[in-house]
C-alpha cells in the first residue's frame, strides 16, 4: 500500500515537462510570445493577455523572498514528518510569483527581499537562502 503524497500535484500531460525538468534539477516557467511576460504555475494560456503562444523556458532559479510563515502542524503526509517547515511565496527573477517551501534556513533569520536560490527535494523545487552576486 502506498502513502498518498499531497505535495506533488498529479502530473497531467500538460504539466509533465515541468515535473520531468524538476526531476533533473531544472525549473521551468512559461513565457508568452505575445506580451513577453512569464507566469507560474504553468498554464496553457497566458494569464496576462490570454495569448495562446506560450512556451516553456528554463528559469534562472534566482528569486527573492516575498512572504513566508512557519508551519508547525500539518497532518497530511509527507508534511507530518517535516514540521516545522517554512512555507513561502517568492518572486522569481523572471517575474512570476511562486508558492514554495524554504529549506536550509533559520526561520528567525528571514527577511522580505532576501535573495534565494532554487534547490530540489524529492523532485520538487524549493528554495534556500543565497544567490548573491557570484554564487
Ligand atoms: Zn501574454
Amino acid at each position: 500500500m502506498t502513502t498518498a503524497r499531497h505535495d506533488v500535484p498529479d502530473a497531467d500531460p500538460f504539466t509533465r515537462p515541468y515535473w520531468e525538468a524538476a526531476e533533473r534539477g531544472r525549473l521551468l516557467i512559461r513565457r508568452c510570445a505575445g506580451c513577453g511576460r512569464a507566469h507560474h504555475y504553468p498554464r496553457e494560456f497566458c494569464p496576462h493577455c490570454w495569448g495562446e503562444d506560450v512556451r516553456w523556458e528554463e528559469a534562472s532559479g534566482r528569486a527573492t523572498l516575498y512572504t513566508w510563515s512557519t508551519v508547525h502542524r500539518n497532518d497530511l503526509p509527507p508534511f507530518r514528518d517535516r514540521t516545522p517547515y517554512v512555507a513561502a511565496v517568492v518572486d522569481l527573477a523572471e517575474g512570476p510569483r511562486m508558492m514554495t517551501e524554504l529549506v536550509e534556513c533559520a526561520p528567525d533569520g528571514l527577511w522580505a527581499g532576501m535573495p534565494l536560490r532554487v534547490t530540489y527535494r524529492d523532485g520538487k523545487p524549493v528554495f534556500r537562502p543565497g544567490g548573491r552576486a557570484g554564487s
Side-chain angles (χ1 to χ4, degrees):
M1 178 164 170
T2 56
T3 304
R5 289 179 57 147
H6 296 270
D7 59 336
V8 179
D10 291 331
D12 60 38
F14 170 65
T15 57
R16 189 168 294 134
Y18 174 83
W19 294 110
E20 288 180 351
E23 292 277 353
R24 298 195 308 271
R26 309 172 95 165
L27 178 63
L28 295 187
I29 55 175
R30 302 270 291 171
R31 187 178 295 279
C32 173
C35 69
R37 296 182 70 181
H39 68 266
H40 191 82
Y41 270 81
R43 274 162 269 193
E44 296 189 58
F45 295 86
C46 173
H48 305 295
C49 74
W50 303 104
E52 296 178 40
D53 192 1
V54 183
R55 297 161 190 185
W56 294 106
E57 172 181 307
E58 184 174 351
S60 65
R62 288 182 291 114
T64 53
L65 184 56
Y66 176 68
T67 188
W68 67 95
S69 68
T70 303
V71 178
H72 291 280
R73 183 186 169 90
N74 187 331
D75 288 331
L76 298 176
F79 299 108
R80 186 165 46 205
D81 303 324
R82 291 185 190 157
T83 54
Y85 64 90
V86 180
V89 179
V90 306
D91 288 325
L92 298 179
E94 290 79 9
R97 190 159 278 174
M98 175 177 172
M99 284 190 64
T100 184
E101 189 180 327
L102 299 189
V103 297
E104 301 171 34
C105 65
D108 291 345
L110 301 173
W111 43 278
M114 185 178 202
L116 304 169
R117 291 288 286 190
V118 73
T119 185
Y120 296 86
R121 188 185 58 202
D122 300 336
K124 181 186 133 196
V126 296
F127 284 80
R128 62 173 173 77
R132 281 173 290 281
S135 68

